[in-house]
């Protein structure tokens, strides 16, 4: 049996019938288990999902937050407004109902350590892909950037160059997996307090 360790996984463990196996894991490699199998054998794999930050040098040094294979977006409250179409095939515009113009307040020593992972219950309707039903969230420190506004079409304006100096207070914000958000802020400016 070959079990693939994804490239994002820095640490994986495997147990067989409740007993940990002495296997070494590396990202983008395979565990190999060779044995005579019996009915009822159980293999359990744990893939550690580290928090990582990606800095986008070509996008004004903004950062994205990842946990394992997921990239996270700001949790923005959504309002759906009918914008044309027919009753059978309506067209909808999704508008923000909460602030979206945040920059992250990061600790240079170990930025990933300042995010708090919160697992929520799985939605009863098995549809986790909505901003208010994400089964996992991250809490982060951020500050609003008052100069970062929507353009005349209502779309997000150009992201400011990081680091951004602001006078606004730090706030706790919630991040959700990008796939749960229709309004996506997934690349954040970095806030400077110097």
């Amino acid at each position: 049996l070959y079990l693939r360790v994804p490239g994002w996984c820095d640490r994986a463990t495997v147990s067989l019938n409740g007993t940990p196996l002495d296997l070494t894991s590396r990202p983008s490699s395979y565990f190999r288990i060779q044995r005579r199998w019996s009915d009822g054998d159980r293999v359990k794999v744990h893939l550690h999902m580290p928090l990582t930050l990606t800095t986008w040098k070509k996008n004004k040094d903004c950062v994205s937050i990842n946990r394992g294979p997921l990239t996270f977006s700001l949790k923005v409250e959504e309002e759906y407004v009918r914008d044309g179409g027919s009753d059978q095939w309506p067209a909808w515009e999704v508008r923000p109902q909460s602030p979206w113009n945040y920059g992250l307040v990061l600790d240079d020593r170990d930025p990933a350590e300042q995010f708090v992972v919160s697992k929520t219950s799985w939605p009863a309707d098995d549809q986790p892909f909505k901003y208010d039903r994400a089964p996992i969230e991250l809490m982060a420190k951020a500050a609003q950037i008052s100069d970062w506004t929507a353009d005349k079409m209502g779309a997000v304006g150009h992201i400011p160059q990081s680091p951004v100096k602001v006078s606004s207070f730090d706030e706790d914000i919630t991040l959700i997996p990008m796939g749960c958000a229709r309004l996506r802020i997934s690349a954040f400016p970095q806030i400077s307090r110097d």
Side-chain angles (χ1 to χ4, degrees):
L1 175 66
Y2 285 86
L3 302 169
R4 184 178 176 276
V5 179
W8 51 260
C9 182
D10 61 351
R11 188 172 68 248
T13 58
V14 179
S15 63
L16 176 62
N17 298 325
T19 302
L21 299 180
D22 185 21
L23 298 172
T24 303
S25 73
R26 292 184 327 275
S28 300
S29 66
Y30 289 85
F31 284 122
R32 178 176 172 244
I33 305 172
Q34 184 173 350
R35 72 184 308 267
R36 184 173 302 276
W37 295 94
S38 302
D39 286 347
D41 279 346
R42 294 183 66 102
V43 176
K44 183 177 180 179
V45 180
H46 174 77
L47 302 174
H48 178 248
M49 292 192 285
L51 276 165
T52 59
L53 277 64
T54 302
T55 301
W56 302 100
K57 293 290 183 192
K58 292 184 178 180
N59 193 16
K60 300 189 179 176
D61 291 320
C62 63
V63 294
S64 294
I65 312 305
N66 314 291
R67 181 175 184 264
L70 300 176
T71 297
F72 282 73
S73 294
L74 177 66
K75 184 177 184 177
V76 179
E77 292 179 28
E78 302 169 353
E79 176 189 31
Y80 283 74
V81 177
R82 178 83 180 262
D83 186 29
S86 66
D87 287 342
Q88 187 176 5
W89 298 101
W92 297 93
E93 182 177 324
V94 185
R95 297 179 183 165
Q97 292 300 298
S98 60
W100 55 264
N101 54 342
Y102 286 100
L104 294 176
V105 178
L106 299 175
D107 182 344
D108 290 337
R109 289 172 284 146
D110 190 358
E113 287 296 316
Q114 70 189 37
F115 295 91
V116 177
V117 178
S118 172
K119 295 180 181 179
T120 59
S121 59
W122 188 262
D125 64 359
D126 286 332
Q127 294 297 327
F129 300 107
K130 291 189 174 182
Y131 82 95
D132 56 352
R133 295 186 191 168
I136 188 161
E137 297 177 340
L138 302 179
M139 298 301 294
K141 291 285 182 197
Q144 273 194 282
I145 303 170
S146 60
D147 294 342
W148 189 22
T149 59
D151 64 18
K152 64 182 178 181
M153 299 298 291
V156 172
H158 293 288
I159 193 166
Q161 176 66 50
S162 290
V164 180
K165 293 184 180 183
V166 296
S167 58
S168 54
F169 295 103
D170 289 358
E171 299 178 45
D172 291 324
I173 61 168
T174 303
L175 306 177
I176 58 176
M178 187 189 303
C180 299
R182 297 298 164 264
L183 301 172
R184 294 179 178 150
I185 302 293
S186 299
F188 296 88
Q190 299 178 62
I191 298 297
S192 171
R193 292 297 187 197
D194 296 333

